[in-house]
Amino acid sequence: MGKDRAGETRLNAATMGVLVGHEHVIGALERTAEQQRPSHAYVFTGREGIGKKRVAVIFACLLNCPHTSRHRDCSCGVCRRIREEKHPDVIIERPERGRIRIERIRFLQSFFRYAPVEGRFRVIIIDDAHLMNRQAQNALLKTLEEPPPGRILILVTARPFLLLPTVRSRCRRIRFGPLPVDILAPLLEDRKGVSSQRARVIAAMSGGSVKRALEMETSRFMELRRRVISALAEPGKNGLKGILDLSLEISANRDMALQAIEIAMTWIRDLLTAKIGANPSCLIHADFLDMISGTEQHHSTYDLLDVYDELVRASELIDREINANRNMVTDVMLLRVSRMLAGPTLGLNLRET
Ligand SMILES: [Zn+2]
């Protein structure tokens, strides 16, 4: 976390975005804190980098703030120390080298053995909780089965399906939606100095994630977008070799594969939006308006929905690592999608090499 003035400004802007974007969730947590009757365990789920951990910290503050009128952006000494991870009753546990080890879970259990020292609740926030292996999760189960009063466990994860069902079922689930484009785009303009048009595209592509939006390297991403859109807009143009080359490239890593699929999904969404005659300002890829209006009439709504389903399926296979061979998933996806989009009129000779 940067200590410089600019750093602070940026952090505040991001925090403000999270506060505004998750208004509904934070409001509910405020009421829970007000009544001082929280559940003993929560799992905060939603895409990576949308502010789940930030909200978990806010919840720890709300639960322990000594003021009667608790507030989400309280700056009292207690809330400040919790945010700075200097409060004796709140621990934020993070993975080390991609894992949360059983030794750490045992340490956290010993932390829960003692009553709060200063606050009302001892709170443990486990970030990326899905990085606990089976053994670590089983150890955690003991705490979840016999929760001592005044202890709150918050598991934060973008991949709740990797938690054991026995762990999940003992936690109250709080779902976080993606942050809206209107909140993310101005943040990007400010941080990356990109035009508002580009900021809106990246914000929409990030799946509502501040982290992903800020990490996206603008020029590389824009090039990937151009290639994916061109492959979808003219599916027969580069033949089988073009499709397989693109597949090989996007399957090089999980993030790029998911990003490419996300681009494809938003492209299909734009074609569907154009088909119902919506205002061009509703389009994500508004800078490709000519291509959108030139393409949408070639496809029926049903065809586009089929393509969308195929993309969702591939995205799930890659995200959940169900099929270890990512390249095979992207090959099949691109071939099917190209065939669906090419149709009999545009023609795609799949025997072409
Ligand atoms: Zn406070």
Side-chain angles (χ1 to χ4, degrees):
M1 193 180 300
K3 292 276 185 215
D4 58 302
R5 270 184 69 84
E8 274 172 22
T9 311
R10 289 200 295 264
L11 180 74
N12 288 341
T15 304
M16 287 311 291
V18 167
L19 290 177
V20 177
H22 299 307
E23 172 62 42
H24 187 65
V25 168
I26 298 174
L29 293 174
E30 269 177 343
R31 286 190 292 281
T32 301
E34 192 77 48
Q35 293 155 3
Q36 292 284 297
R37 278 206 312 260
S39 302
H40 67 275
Y42 292 84
V43 55
F44 283 14
T45 65
R47 285 178 178 235
E48 205 185 0
I50 54 172
K52 301 182 295 296
K53 191 186 75 203
R54 239 179 259 246
V55 175
V57 173
I58 291 172
F59 190 34
C61 293
L62 290 168
L63 289 167
N64 281 310
C65 180
H67 294 284
T68 40
S69 59
R70 294 178 190 87
H71 200 265
R72 58 189 71 179
D73 49 9
C74 176
S75 57
C76 78
V78 169
C79 291
R80 207 186 57 241
R81 278 189 297 139
I82 291 175
R83 281 197 289 267
E84 291 172 355
E85 299 183 42
K86 289 175 182 161
H87 194 282
D89 292 319
V90 179
I91 287 186
I92 303 173
E93 181 67 23
R94 298 177 177 82
E96 261 178 54
R97 277 173 276 164
R99 283 177 66 187
I100 297 169
R101 293 171 185 279
I102 189 163
E103 294 76 23
R104 292 300 304 166
I105 302 300
R106 292 204 179 105
F107 164 75
L108 296 175
Q109 281 170 332
S110 67
F111 175 78
F112 259 1
R113 231 165 265 142
Y114 302 98
V117 182
E118 280 187 30
R120 293 184 206 88
F121 295 94
R122 287 217 131 171
V123 183
I124 295 175
I125 298 167
I126 304 185
D127 196 19
D128 286 331
H130 59 273
L131 293 174
M132 288 184 284
N133 64 16
R134 198 181 180 85
Q135 203 188 7
Q137 291 192 43
N138 274 322
L140 189 73
L141 259 183
K142 285 196 186 119
T143 310
L144 291 169
E145 278 163 353
E146 303 148 26
R151 278 46 154 208
I152 315 286
L153 175 70
I154 307 174
L155 306 179
V156 176
T157 178
R159 312 178 79 192
F161 47 85
L162 293 178
L163 294 174
L164 296 176
T166 40
V167 169
R168 276 203 310 262
S169 66
R170 283 171 173 81
C171 300
R172 181 148 174 239
R173 185 161 179 174
I174 308 278
R175 288 185 175 83
F176 287 71
L179 289 175
V181 171
D182 287 341
I183 288 174
L184 272 179
L187 211 100
L188 288 169
E189 282 178 59
D190 182 46
R191 288 283 300 266
K192 299 202 121 190
V194 291
S195 68
S196 77
Q197 167 63 39
R198 279 198 165 195
R200 288 191 74 80
V201 171
I202 295 178
M205 301 280 76
S206 71
S209 157
V210 186
K211 188 179 167 204
R212 274 182 71 191
L214 292 175
E215 277 173 1
M216 277 179 173
E217 204 278 295
T218 318
S219 53
R220 205 204 66 178
F221 168 75
M222 286 295 170
E223 174 56 20
L224 178 68
R225 181 176 78 119
R226 190 195 60 72
R227 293 196 51 205
V228 171
I229 288 178
S230 128
L232 296 178
E234 299 173 291
K237 194 181 169 195
N238 297 317
L240 183 58
K241 186 176 183 308
I243 292 170
L244 295 180
D245 282 350
L246 181 62
S247 168
L248 191 64
E249 193 184 320
I250 64 172
S251 62
N253 68 65
R254 184 172 157 268
D255 283 351
M256 204 202 279
L258 291 174
Q259 218 169 67
I261 297 174
E262 191 96 32
I263 292 170
M265 286 165 89
T266 50
W267 176 254
I268 300 300
R269 174 235 177 243
D270 273 2
L271 294 183
L272 285 162
T273 308
K275 269 191 108 55
I276 58 167
N279 190 314
S281 65
C282 302
L283 300 173
I284 293 168
H285 304 283
D287 49 338
F288 283 94
L289 184 59
D290 287 352
M291 237 178 194
I292 291 170
S293 36
T295 312
E296 50 93 1
Q297 68 262 29
H298 291 304
H299 312 295
S300 73
T301 304
Y302 290 114
D303 286 346
L304 293 175
L305 291 172
D306 282 348
V307 171
Y308 196 86
D309 285 348
E310 178 64 28
L311 295 167
V312 170
R313 201 185 64 87
S315 170
E316 278 176 8
L317 286 175
I318 291 170
D319 190 27
R320 298 187 177 204
E321 288 164 5
I322 293 169
N323 186 336
N325 190 338
R326 201 165 39 230
N327 187 226
M328 195 188 282
V329 177
T330 56
D331 275 355
V332 173
M333 170 197 78
L334 281 175
L335 285 169
R336 280 199 183 140
V337 164
S338 303
R339 202 165 203 173
M340 288 174 191
L341 290 175
T345 48
L346 291 174
L348 173 71
N349 183 1
L350 289 179
R351 270 167 297 200
E352 189 182 335
T353 51

